[in-house]
Amino acid sequence: MCEANAYVIKDGREELLMESVDIVEPEGEDTWRLVGIFGDRKTIRGRIKIMNLVDHKILFEAQ
């Protein structure tokens, strides 16, 4: 599968935000909608720090 887990960096640590993310869509300036493989959704305000698709990992820096 090609989905990734999304993490947010807080206090220098990675916290799991959402598992099995299938879609990352911009919703506005520095706002992103994440959609999981089962249709679950989350919105995060921040910027993408790195997307490592080989390791199935998306890192956000919250604002």
Side-chain angles (χ1 to χ4, degrees):
M1 300 291 268
C2 298
E3 71 274 3
N5 292 334
Y7 298 85
V8 62
I9 299 172
K10 288 185 179 176
D11 300 323
R13 298 173 37 192
E14 297 175 7
E15 292 184 15
L16 180 63
L17 180 65
M18 186 174 181
E19 292 181 301
S20 302
V21 175
D22 189 36
I23 299 171
V24 178
E25 296 178 305
E27 261 198 349
E29 189 171 328
D30 292 330
T31 303
W32 303 90
R33 180 182 332 156
L34 310 177
V35 181
I37 59 172
F38 299 111
D40 48 325
R41 297 171 183 257
K42 277 193 177 176
T43 301
I44 181 168
R45 183 161 173 78
R47 67 183 195 99
I48 294 175
K49 181 174 180 180
I50 188 168
M51 293 177 69
N52 185 334
L53 300 180
V54 171
D55 290 337
H56 306 273
K57 193 177 212 180
I58 304 167
L59 290 178
F60 289 92
E61 290 179 322
Q63 290 184 334

